[in-house]
Amino acid sequence: MKTTSGLSRGADKSWVLAAIRRIEADFQRSSDTHLIPLPLPGFPGVDLYLKDESSHPTGSLKHRLARSLFLYALCNGWLREGSTVVEASSGSTAISEAYFARLVGLPFLAVMPESTSQEKVAAIEFQGGRCHFIDDPMSIYSEAQRLADKFGGYYMDQFTYAERATDWRSNNNIAESIFDQMRLEKYPVPSWLVSSAGTGGTVATLGRYVRYRARPTRVCAADAEYWVFFDHYRHRDPELRVHKGSRIEGIGRPRVEASFLPEVIDAMVKVPDVWSVAAMYELSTRLGRSVGPSTGTNLIAALACMDEMRASGESGSVVTLLCDAGQRYADTYFSHDWLQRAGLHCASERVAVAASLDSGEIATSLAASWQTAGELPSDPGR
């Protein structure tokens, strides 16, 4: 049940319409994100592309989600003038929602784990938002609802509404954008679309869109080490829980979220955290700019898909997401001391990732580290 007080229908509707116009005007001022080719000598028959979501005004993939969530709430009559917007978020969604809350003149409060990077906290506060920290990752949902009730506000609830707030048929969703940008490439219809799943909303959009457009493209979801989605994909148990926070900020959920739709996913790859960080470092070097850790998770999953294509003699393209920039993690994932404390020192893993990208032969240590399900072989490289 959504928390919002009753609307005064006359005056409040005019505020709602004005808020929607501000959001739509902001969208018109923003260009689409870039699609970056990443040459890989080890995979001559496979072209890899990165959809650079860090170029959004708020710097991450979550800008699309936040815009959709605000429009969904406004059009459903759930937001009113003066109401406090509350969200449960580890950072990037909160930054983007704080941006849109300020755009329409609403206060914003983010409920997040204490481990959230200080760069993300500062970015939320820069957008005019406030942060409320918790210890137990499982309490983030109830605490967000409690605060929304306390302030007579609205709990945005990205984990429930991500898959339904986005119009996966049109409205410049990320899948439509990818296919449009791929039109003039050598392999214009991707063999694989690869995305990690924080809420599951982006993966749901990708999976639904390729079915709606009758594309042969397969969709692969990437999973962090401490996360329930992979096991849910295999066993379809909605009661799964993990009582440990994810070490890959922005992805990794302690419970099965309503927006995660396993039926529209063709495969999953579960990536150990140390390999995600190793791939983050290697990709940052190859791009000449830093990327965040969930992008490293995406790269490892993309490698699994490319290895499947190479093994089966298939040529084609793979598109994955550059979720956000590494500047947000200067004091965490890009800090040697922090990596040591977190147990994520990854020098040997990075060498193995580089060798796999350059040779096209997946390093034995990397192949032994990931788990796969669905339309990917459980024995990589064979």
Side-chain angles (χ1 to χ4, degrees), residues 272-338:
D273 296 342
V274 68
W275 288 97
S276 293
V277 176
M280 174 196 78
Y281 272 98
E282 183 59 27
L283 182 57
S284 295
T285 296
R286 292 178 183 237
L287 290 178
R289 47 177 289 204
S290 62
V291 302
S294 60
T295 303
T297 309
N298 287 345
L299 180 60
I300 297 297
L303 259 176
C305 296
M306 295 166 67
D307 182 66
E308 185 272 340
M309 293 173 66
R310 180 196 57 78
S312 62
E314 178 185 356
S315 296
S317 57
V318 175
V319 180
T320 190
L321 307 184
L322 196 168
C323 301
D324 60 5
Q327 287 90 334
R328 291 182 171 178
Y329 309 98
D331 293 335
T332 52
Y333 300 93
F334 285 93
S335 163
H336 178 77
D337 291 340
W338 185 91

Side-chain angles (χ1 to χ4, degrees), residues 81-129:
E81 185 175 9
S83 59
T84 298
V85 179
V86 182
E87 182 60 284
S89 169
S90 63
S92 288
T93 301
I95 295 168
S96 298
E97 288 188 13
Y99 172 91
F100 285 104
R102 183 171 69 170
L103 186 66
V104 300
L106 298 179
F108 177 79
L109 178 63
V111 180
M112 58 177 56
E114 287 189 336
S115 59
T116 303
S117 70
Q118 286 303 305
E119 290 84 1
K120 285 189 175 181
V121 172
I124 293 166
E125 293 174 343
F126 176 79
Q127 298 293 348

Side-chain angles (χ1 to χ4, degrees), residues 114-247:
E114 287 189 336
S115 59
T116 303
S117 70
Q118 286 303 305
E119 290 84 1
K120 285 189 175 181
V121 172
I124 293 166
E125 293 174 343
F126 176 79
Q127 298 293 348
R130 294 179 293 129
C131 301
H132 177 86
F133 300 98
I134 58 165
D135 293 322
D136 177 14
M138 284 300 297
S139 69
I140 193 170
Y141 316 92
S142 59
E143 183 66 3
Q145 186 64 71
R146 184 188 72 81
L147 291 170
D149 293 339
K150 176 181 177 181
F151 295 114
Y154 171 75
Y155 173 28
M156 192 67 81
D157 196 1
Q158 60 166 322
F159 300 108
T160 295
Y161 291 98
E163 57 87 11
R164 63 196 75 172
T166 299
D167 185 349
W168 45 269
R169 286 161 292 218
S170 60
N171 193 30
N172 191 38
N173 68 59
I174 191 169
E176 181 182 53
S177 176
I178 288 171
F179 278 93
D180 184 62
Q181 290 177 313
M182 288 290 293
R183 283 186 299 112
L184 300 181
E185 300 302 315
K186 183 178 180 181
Y187 304 108
V189 178
S191 297
W192 286 97
L193 299 176
V194 180
S195 173
S196 53
T199 62
T202 298
V203 175
T205 296
L206 296 174
R208 286 165 159 172
Y209 186 85
V210 297
R211 286 159 176 76
Y212 177 63
R213 294 297 185 188
R215 303 290 192 180
T217 303
R218 292 166 288 177
V219 174
C220 176
D223 186 0
E225 187 172 339
Y226 300 112
W227 199 9
V228 299
F229 286 171
F230 182 83
D231 289 335
H232 177 59
Y233 180 75
R234 291 195 302 178
H235 305 300
R236 299 299 200 270
D237 181 1
E239 302 304 319
L240 289 171
R241 298 289 188 272
V242 174
H243 295 280
K244 184 172 184 177
S246 173
R247 294 185 295 178

